[in-house]
Amino acid sequence: GTLSEGRPNWIDGRALTGFDGAELLRLAASLERGSEHPLAAAILRGAEERRIGLSAPSDFRSLTGQGVRAVIDGHDVALGNRALLQSLGIAHEALEALAQPFRDQGQTAMLLALDGKAAGIIVVADPIKASTAEALRRLRGQGLSIVMLTGDNRATAQAVARGLDISEFEADMMPANKAEAVRRLQASGRKVAMAGDGVNDAPALAAA
């Protein structure tokens, strides 16, 4: 929503051996019914386009900077990033390997766990705004340095940064990490302005 359009689209879903891909999309979309995040909207649209019937989540929890978790049809379903699976003690290496080709293209791959086991990935993509490259060019023309801070995976961030000629970026960031990055730049003598949207950026916006 800052560099990108803020309206991601569902791209793909992949399941590990032993899990059903269509069922994982149904569970992921059912889970995201309780969320207002743009990525949630992309998954819900993907399920709607495929006429997938959804269930109501219970015990829904949104974990800032990690993802979401709920009980759906008696199953414990968690969807988010590596930090979420690590906090649940779930091995994520197989999912990371599944996600890597998509991340290399600048797409966002979310990791899905079912009943405490790594199950698959849900892939969405948020196109870069048509105005972004020109906006960055004009900012640089005013003598400003551009630093991209993102909670997304490093491979995804690297692909986006490469496409926009951004040489400084930090990835896999929690909200507190973004605020610390702002303070670190300030401590080096730089004046910092922050552009961002959503609760994940609030601490960094306040620090700037």
Side-chain angles (χ1 to χ4, degrees):
T2 306
L3 301 175
S4 63
E5 292 180 359
R7 186 177 166 80
N9 297 309
W10 186 88
I11 298 295
D12 206 342
R14 298 290 174 88
L16 292 178
T17 302
F19 293 93
D20 178 76
E23 176 64 4
L24 291 185
L25 176 58
R26 188 188 76 81
L27 291 172
S30 297
L31 171 61
E32 292 290 18
R33 289 177 74 178
S35 174
E36 297 179 351
H37 196 283
L39 297 182
I43 295 171
L44 287 168
R45 281 196 303 273
E48 183 179 331
E49 290 167 1
R50 290 157 183 78
R51 293 188 169 87
I52 295 174
L54 305 182
S55 300
S58 61
D59 193 23
F60 178 86
R61 283 165 282 173
S62 177
L63 306 164
T64 302
Q66 296 186 11
V68 289
R69 186 181 181 188
V71 175
I72 301 166
D73 297 336
H75 295 288
D76 184 358
V77 185
L79 180 67
N81 57 21
R82 180 189 309 152
L84 176 62
L85 266 64
Q86 286 176 331
S87 72
L88 299 175
I90 300 172
H92 55 82
E93 289 78 9
L95 296 183
E96 297 286 357
L98 206 59
Q100 192 63 38
F102 298 101
R103 290 171 172 167
D104 288 342
Q105 299 176 60
Q107 298 168 343
T108 297
M110 290 168 281
L111 313 182
L112 181 68
L114 180 61
D115 295 327
K117 296 180 181 178
I121 61 171
I122 302 293
V123 183
V124 301
D126 190 6
I128 299 300
K129 290 176 185 172
S131 59
T132 294
E134 173 62 12
L136 294 179
R137 188 192 67 77
R138 291 175 63 182
L139 288 170
R140 293 187 185 102
Q142 295 174 19
L144 298 176
S145 298
I146 307 298
V147 181
M148 182 177 73
L149 308 176
T150 178
D152 217 326
N153 178 272
R154 182 172 180 81
T156 300
Q158 196 161 30
V160 172
R162 185 169 56 244
L164 292 172
D165 197 27
I166 296 174
S167 58
E168 283 188 80
F169 71 91
E170 295 186 48
D172 293 310
M173 302 196 85
M174 299 288 283
N177 299 138
K178 293 183 180 182
E180 177 56 34
V182 170
R183 287 191 287 267
R184 197 164 59 242
L185 289 166
Q186 291 168 332
S188 71
R190 299 168 83 172
K191 294 180 180 178
V192 182
M194 170 74 179
D197 62 288
V199 67
N200 285 353
D201 293 319
L205 288 164

